[in-house]
Amino acid sequence: MRRRGQDWRSFKEAAQEVGYIPDYLFLLQTILQTDSQEAVNFALVISPMEGGGLLTTTQSHISSLR
């Protein structure tokens, strides 16, 4: 059985392969509501992404709220 962290890496790779850019902030918030440890695992997988990943998404979201 694969660990969930591996599933998140697979998700990230599949999204990049087809050029899809998920709403990572929304996904993180949704995961956080049900499983805080899994939200940490997800954040660790997406944080080192090219283009900033989570950080860029969070900054864009905060900017849009101003």
Side-chain angles (χ1 to χ4, degrees):
M1 184 172 162
R2 291 189 316 179
R3 292 182 16 228
R4 287 183 177 177
Q6 179 63 38
D7 291 339
W8 293 128
R9 281 187 284 284
S10 297
F11 170 79
K12 180 181 84 167
E13 291 166 5
Q16 289 174 333
E17 243 178 61
V18 297
Y20 176 68
I21 302 172
D23 184 344
Y24 289 111
L25 185 58
F26 173 77
L27 291 171
L28 182 60
Q29 290 171 333
T30 302
I31 297 165
L32 187 58
Q33 292 174 11
T34 58
D35 188 341
S36 59
Q37 183 56 51
E38 199 54 37
V40 170
N41 293 339
F42 181 69
L44 289 172
V45 168
I46 64 173
S47 61
M49 289 176 54
E50 279 186 39
L54 180 61
L55 181 58
T56 301
T57 302
T58 304
Q59 288 172 335
S60 297
H61 180 69
I62 290 171
S63 294
S64 71
L65 296 175
R66 291 183 184 169

XYZ file of all heavy atoms in Angstrom:
525
model
N 0.846 -1.195 0.000
C 0.000 0.000 0.000
C 0.884 1.249 0.000
O 1.848 1.332 0.728
C -0.892 -0.012 1.233
C -1.870 1.111 1.276
S -3.022 0.849 2.643
C -3.641 2.466 2.802
N 0.527 2.206 -0.846
C 1.302 3.436 -0.922
C 0.934 4.374 0.213
O -0.197 4.418 0.664
C 1.038 4.151 -2.237
C 1.580 3.427 -3.405
C 1.506 4.228 -4.659
N 0.248 4.925 -4.842
C -0.027 5.691 -5.862
N 0.870 5.881 -6.791
N -1.184 6.290 -5.985
N 1.929 5.139 0.638
C 1.659 6.170 1.635
C 0.984 7.342 0.939
O 1.160 7.568 -0.249
C 2.973 6.620 2.262
C 3.580 5.530 3.098
C 4.866 5.917 3.798
N 5.121 7.328 3.861
C 6.282 7.866 3.540
N 7.268 7.123 3.115
N 6.474 9.167 3.653
N 0.224 8.102 1.684
C -0.522 9.215 1.088
C 0.387 10.270 0.481
O 0.048 10.880 -0.514
C -1.441 9.858 2.126
C -2.621 8.998 2.439
C -3.533 9.695 3.390
N -4.702 8.899 3.642
C -5.640 9.235 4.486
N -5.535 10.339 5.168
N -6.683 8.468 4.657
N 1.554 10.498 1.077
C 2.493 11.463 0.514
C 2.852 11.115 -0.920
O 2.999 11.980 -1.773
N 2.977 9.818 -1.187
C 3.262 9.361 -2.547
C 2.080 9.694 -3.462
O 2.263 10.062 -4.610
C 3.544 7.863 -2.568
C 3.831 7.311 -3.943
C 5.073 7.901 -4.578
O 6.060 8.152 -3.910
N 5.015 8.133 -5.875
N 0.881 9.554 -2.957
C -0.303 9.906 -3.747
C -0.288 11.378 -4.133
O -0.654 11.737 -5.249
C -1.588 9.595 -2.982
C -1.830 8.108 -2.808
O -1.254 7.315 -3.583
O -2.578 7.740 -1.900
N 0.131 12.252 -3.211
C 0.172 13.685 -3.514
C 1.230 13.967 -4.554
O 1.031 14.806 -5.438
C 0.427 14.513 -2.247
C -0.693 14.468 -1.268
C -0.613 14.160 0.058
C -2.088 14.735 -1.512
N -1.856 14.222 0.634
C -2.779 14.564 -0.305
C -2.814 15.094 -2.644
C -4.146 14.749 -0.196
C -4.181 15.274 -2.530
C -4.824 15.102 -1.320
N 2.366 13.280 -4.492
C 3.395 13.473 -5.520
C 2.859 13.039 -6.885
O 3.088 13.701 -7.890
C 4.667 12.713 -5.154
C 5.502 13.439 -4.105
C 6.838 12.771 -3.871
N 6.731 11.561 -3.080
C 6.546 11.520 -1.770
N 6.442 12.637 -1.094
N 6.461 10.384 -1.132
N 2.138 11.932 -6.898
C 1.546 11.448 -8.156
C 0.533 12.454 -8.695
O 0.474 12.711 -9.896
C 0.859 10.099 -7.950
O 1.793 9.126 -7.568
N -0.265 13.022 -7.798
C -1.249 14.035 -8.180
C -0.550 15.243 -8.793
O -0.933 15.732 -9.860
C -2.059 14.449 -6.948
C -2.933 15.655 -7.169
C -4.139 15.534 -7.837
C -2.544 16.904 -6.716
C -4.944 16.643 -8.047
C -3.336 18.010 -6.924
C -4.541 17.879 -7.593
N 0.493 15.712 -8.129
C 1.232 16.878 -8.609
C 1.845 16.592 -9.974
O 1.734 17.403 -10.895
C 2.317 17.256 -7.603
C 3.130 18.465 -8.011
C 4.209 18.786 -7.005
C 5.413 17.938 -7.284
N 6.614 18.348 -6.587
N 2.464 15.428 -10.127
C 3.100 15.067 -11.395
C 2.076 14.954 -12.523
O 2.321 15.418 -13.639
C 3.873 13.767 -11.242
C 5.100 13.912 -10.359
C 5.688 12.575 -9.931
O 5.205 11.518 -10.392
O 6.633 12.603 -9.132
N 0.938 14.345 -12.241
C -0.105 14.197 -13.256
C -0.637 15.564 -13.687
O -0.862 15.810 -14.881
C -1.235 13.323 -12.736
N -0.834 16.455 -12.730
C -1.322 17.799 -13.051
C -0.314 18.533 -13.926
O -0.686 19.180 -14.913
C -1.596 18.579 -11.769
N 0.960 18.427 -13.588
C 1.994 19.096 -14.372
C 2.085 18.513 -15.776
O 2.294 19.247 -16.737
C 3.349 18.993 -13.671
C 3.444 19.846 -12.429
C 4.726 19.629 -11.648
O 5.329 18.562 -11.707
N 5.120 20.632 -10.888
N 1.924 17.211 -15.884
C 2.007 16.528 -17.178
C 1.001 17.070 -18.188
O 1.298 17.218 -19.363
C 1.749 15.027 -16.987
C 2.901 14.153 -17.354
C 2.587 12.702 -17.092
O 1.635 12.161 -17.689
O 3.305 12.105 -16.276
N -0.200 17.331 -17.721
C -1.255 17.785 -18.637
C -1.419 19.305 -18.647
O -2.289 19.838 -19.317
C -2.620 17.113 -18.305
C -2.525 15.616 -18.486
C -3.096 17.470 -16.912
N -0.577 20.006 -17.870
C -0.630 21.459 -17.863
C -1.744 22.040 -17.009
O -2.116 23.193 -17.172
N -2.282 21.243 -16.099
C -3.363 21.704 -15.221
C -2.762 22.340 -13.978
O -1.828 21.802 -13.381
C -4.248 20.529 -14.838
C -5.340 20.882 -13.857
C -6.385 21.709 -14.220
C -5.327 20.370 -12.564
C -7.391 22.037 -13.324
C -6.332 20.685 -11.656
C -7.350 21.519 -12.048
O -8.338 21.841 -11.155
N -3.282 23.491 -13.583
C -2.820 24.154 -12.370
C -3.967 24.156 -11.373
O -4.895 24.964 -11.473
C -2.359 25.598 -12.657
C -1.244 25.583 -13.695
C -1.899 26.268 -11.371
C -0.845 26.948 -14.195
N -3.932 23.230 -10.418
C -5.007 23.150 -9.419
C -5.011 24.373 -8.503
O -4.015 25.084 -8.383
C -4.654 21.894 -8.614
C -3.647 21.164 -9.410
C -2.936 22.177 -10.237
N -6.109 24.593 -7.859
C -6.213 25.638 -6.839
C -5.674 25.024 -5.548
O -6.408 24.466 -4.747
C -7.676 26.066 -6.679
C -7.839 27.212 -5.696
O -6.903 27.479 -4.915
O -8.916 27.817 -5.702
N -4.359 25.119 -5.383
C -3.698 24.454 -4.261
C -4.163 24.978 -2.908
O -4.265 24.223 -1.948
C -2.182 24.583 -4.385
C -1.621 23.743 -5.494
C -1.098 24.325 -6.638
C -1.628 22.360 -5.406
C -0.586 23.554 -7.662
C -1.130 21.574 -6.428
C -0.605 22.173 -7.553
O -0.113 21.404 -8.564
N -4.448 26.262 -2.820
C -4.913 26.817 -1.550
C -6.263 26.216 -1.163
O -6.473 25.819 -0.017
C -5.002 28.343 -1.633
C -5.369 29.049 -0.336
C -4.372 28.711 0.769
C -5.410 30.542 -0.565
N -7.171 26.123 -2.122
C -8.475 25.513 -1.850
C -8.305 24.050 -1.430
O -8.929 23.595 -0.469
C -9.376 25.598 -3.085
C -10.665 24.851 -2.918
C -11.702 25.380 -2.166
C -10.832 23.590 -3.474
C -12.890 24.680 -1.994
C -12.011 22.879 -3.312
C -13.040 23.426 -2.565
N -7.464 23.323 -2.154
C -7.233 21.915 -1.812
C -6.656 21.780 -0.406
O -7.089 20.926 0.373
C -6.296 21.262 -2.828
C -6.870 21.069 -4.220
C -5.776 20.632 -5.180
C -7.999 20.059 -4.200
N -5.684 22.631 -0.084
C -5.076 22.574 1.245
C -6.105 22.872 2.340
O -6.178 22.174 3.349
C -3.910 23.552 1.329
C -3.153 23.563 2.656
C -2.562 22.191 2.963
C -2.067 24.615 2.623
N -6.926 23.886 2.122
C -7.956 24.224 3.111
C -8.954 23.082 3.283
O -9.366 22.775 4.401
C -8.703 25.494 2.692
C -7.862 26.737 2.797
C -8.543 27.936 2.167
O -9.367 27.817 1.260
N -8.183 29.119 2.632
N -9.320 22.453 2.183
C -10.273 21.343 2.236
C -9.685 20.150 2.987
O -10.352 19.551 3.834
C -10.679 20.926 0.809
O -11.239 22.067 0.147
C -11.693 19.796 0.832
N -8.444 19.821 2.686
C -7.791 18.701 3.368
C -7.629 19.018 4.849
O -7.835 18.154 5.711
C -6.424 18.395 2.720
C -6.619 17.952 1.271
C -5.665 17.330 3.504
C -5.344 17.981 0.446
N -7.287 20.255 5.158
C -7.078 20.665 6.546
C -8.333 20.487 7.399
O -8.248 20.167 8.590
C -6.614 22.126 6.587
C -6.190 22.688 7.926
C -5.049 21.872 8.515
C -5.770 24.135 7.769
N -9.490 20.635 6.804
C -10.747 20.487 7.548
C -10.975 19.062 8.055
O -11.675 18.863 9.037
C -11.926 20.910 6.680
C -11.952 22.381 6.390
C -13.060 22.744 5.410
O -13.933 21.957 5.093
N -13.008 23.977 4.918
N -10.385 18.094 7.370
C -10.644 16.704 7.740
C -9.443 15.973 8.315
O -9.608 15.016 9.070
C -11.157 15.894 6.527
O -10.184 15.963 5.491
C -12.491 16.435 6.052
N -8.226 16.395 7.954
C -7.046 15.649 8.388
C -5.838 16.574 8.402
O -5.199 16.791 7.369
C -6.814 14.467 7.437
C -5.730 13.520 7.906
O -4.908 13.912 8.760
O -5.692 12.387 7.406
N -5.521 17.125 9.568
C -4.447 18.116 9.652
C -3.090 17.529 9.273
O -2.286 18.202 8.628
C -4.398 18.737 11.047
O -4.181 17.736 12.024
N -2.824 16.289 9.640
C -1.536 15.694 9.275
C -1.430 15.511 7.768
O -0.380 15.719 7.180
C -1.330 14.354 9.987
C 0.019 13.720 9.703
C 1.195 14.627 10.056
O 1.260 15.155 11.164
N 2.098 14.841 9.118
N -2.513 15.151 7.144
C -2.499 14.986 5.692
C -2.320 16.338 4.999
O -1.684 16.428 3.951
C -3.775 14.304 5.210
C -3.650 13.712 3.844
C -2.472 12.753 3.691
O -2.170 12.007 4.635
O -1.859 12.757 2.618
N -2.850 17.393 5.597
C -2.650 18.737 5.049
C -1.166 19.108 5.094
O -0.645 19.713 4.149
C -3.485 19.756 5.824
N -0.490 18.711 6.159
C 0.954 18.947 6.257
C 1.676 18.172 5.158
O 2.552 18.714 4.470
C 1.494 18.542 7.649
C 3.016 18.547 7.672
C 0.930 19.454 8.723
N 1.311 16.917 4.966
C 1.925 16.102 3.908
C 1.719 16.745 2.540
O 2.635 16.807 1.727
C 1.354 14.686 3.906
C 1.733 13.909 5.142
O 2.702 14.230 5.823
N 0.963 12.884 5.439
N 0.508 17.215 2.286
C 0.184 17.867 1.009
C 1.027 19.129 0.838
O 1.611 19.364 -0.226
C -1.309 18.195 0.967
C -1.748 18.833 -0.316
C -1.765 18.120 -1.495
C -2.176 20.149 -0.340
C -2.181 18.703 -2.685
C -2.603 20.742 -1.514
C -2.606 20.017 -2.690
N 1.106 19.940 1.874
C 1.879 21.184 1.810
C 3.359 20.899 1.548
O 4.007 21.620 0.792
C 1.707 21.974 3.103
N 3.887 19.848 2.156
C 5.294 19.503 1.940
C 5.555 19.083 0.500
O 6.626 19.348 -0.046
C 5.719 18.385 2.897
C 5.835 18.792 4.363
C 6.068 17.569 5.237
C 6.941 19.820 4.543
N 4.590 18.447 -0.122
C 4.757 18.019 -1.520
C 4.672 19.212 -2.471
O 5.459 19.321 -3.410
C 3.713 16.941 -1.896
C 3.682 16.702 -3.391
C 4.005 15.647 -1.159
N 3.757 20.128 -2.229
C 3.567 21.225 -3.180
C 4.446 22.438 -2.898
O 4.636 23.268 -3.781
C 2.089 21.659 -3.276
C 1.590 22.235 -1.957
C 1.222 20.511 -3.756
C 0.206 22.827 -2.042
N 5.012 22.548 -1.707
C 5.791 23.747 -1.382
C 7.039 23.943 -2.237
O 7.357 25.077 -2.578
C 6.147 23.780 0.098
O 6.929 22.670 0.448
N 7.761 22.883 -2.624
C 8.957 23.136 -3.431
C 8.700 23.212 -4.939
O 9.630 23.180 -5.732
C 9.846 21.932 -3.106
C 8.901 20.824 -2.842
C 7.712 21.497 -2.185
N 7.458 23.343 -5.353
C 7.133 23.340 -6.782
C 7.730 24.537 -7.501
O 7.863 25.613 -6.937
C 5.613 23.352 -6.977
C 4.958 22.061 -6.608
S 3.170 22.152 -6.742
C 2.948 22.723 -8.398
N 8.054 24.328 -8.783
C 8.506 25.439 -9.620
C 7.401 26.480 -9.697
O 6.225 26.160 -9.701
C 8.805 24.944 -11.028
C 10.147 24.287 -11.167
C 10.454 23.957 -12.610
O 10.125 24.765 -13.491
O 11.028 22.885 -12.819
N 7.788 27.720 -9.765
C 6.800 28.789 -9.852
C 6.237 29.167 -8.500
O 5.308 29.936 -8.401
N 6.783 28.615 -7.430
C 6.362 28.999 -6.098
C 5.324 28.110 -5.461
O 5.224 28.050 -4.262
N 4.540 27.401 -6.255
C 3.564 26.472 -5.705
C 2.648 27.112 -4.685
O 1.945 28.076 -4.966
N 2.692 26.611 -3.500
C 1.806 27.049 -2.426
C 2.016 28.517 -2.075
O 1.063 29.263 -1.909
C 2.006 26.175 -1.197
C 1.146 26.503 0.011
C -0.324 26.347 -0.330
C 1.516 25.619 1.175
N 3.275 28.944 -2.001
C 3.557 30.329 -1.630
C 2.967 31.303 -2.640
O 2.310 32.266 -2.276
C 5.070 30.545 -1.492
C 5.507 31.944 -1.075
C 4.876 32.330 0.264
C 7.005 32.032 -1.018
N 3.171 31.048 -3.920
C 2.626 31.920 -4.958
C 1.108 31.925 -4.927
O 0.475 32.971 -5.039
C 3.119 31.474 -6.350
O 4.536 31.522 -6.357
C 2.560 32.360 -7.439
N 0.513 30.749 -4.751
C -0.940 30.643 -4.692
C -1.489 31.428 -3.514
O -2.459 32.164 -3.638
C -1.366 29.159 -4.581
O -0.850 28.464 -5.693
C -2.865 29.018 -4.521
N -0.849 31.296 -2.362
C -1.301 31.999 -1.154
C -1.159 33.494 -1.327
O -2.062 34.254 -0.996
C -0.496 31.509 0.066
O -0.625 30.107 0.176
C -0.991 32.161 1.340
N -0.029 33.939 -1.870
C 0.179 35.376 -2.076
C -0.837 35.944 -3.056
O -1.360 37.041 -2.851
C 1.603 35.632 -2.574
C 2.642 35.421 -1.511
C 4.054 35.489 -2.059
O 4.291 35.247 -3.233
N 4.984 35.817 -1.196
N -1.141 35.202 -4.109
C -2.136 35.670 -5.088
C -3.507 35.781 -4.435
O -4.244 36.730 -4.686
C -2.213 34.703 -6.271
O -1.007 34.663 -6.954
N -3.839 34.805 -3.619
C -5.142 34.812 -2.944
C -5.246 35.995 -1.999
O -6.249 36.702 -1.985
C -5.332 33.503 -2.182
C -6.630 33.407 -1.465
N -7.844 33.295 -2.118
C -6.919 33.444 -0.141
C -8.807 33.259 -1.217
N -8.277 33.340 -0.017
N -4.199 36.253 -1.229
C -4.203 37.367 -0.283
C -4.306 38.687 -1.049
O -5.059 39.585 -0.647
C -2.951 37.321 0.615
C -3.067 36.132 1.569
C -2.781 38.616 1.381
C -1.810 35.840 2.354
N -3.588 38.802 -2.156
C -3.634 40.026 -2.954
C -5.035 40.292 -3.489
O -5.488 41.433 -3.555
C -2.658 39.948 -4.126
O -1.345 39.907 -3.641
N -5.727 39.227 -3.869
C -7.071 39.395 -4.425
C -8.080 39.818 -3.363
O -9.127 40.362 -3.687
C -7.536 38.108 -5.101
O -7.803 37.104 -4.154
N -7.752 39.594 -2.105
C -8.656 39.976 -1.015
C -8.530 41.447 -0.642
O -9.394 41.984 0.025
C -8.394 39.104 0.215
C -8.683 37.619 0.069
C -8.252 36.886 1.333
C -10.144 37.373 -0.227
N -7.462 42.067 -1.060
C -7.219 43.482 -0.687
C -8.048 44.428 -1.492
O -8.528 44.286 -2.492
C -5.749 43.821 -0.869
C -4.913 43.092 0.154
C -3.482 43.473 0.019
N -2.730 42.659 0.967
C -1.430 42.571 0.979
N -0.726 43.253 0.105
N -0.811 41.838 1.847
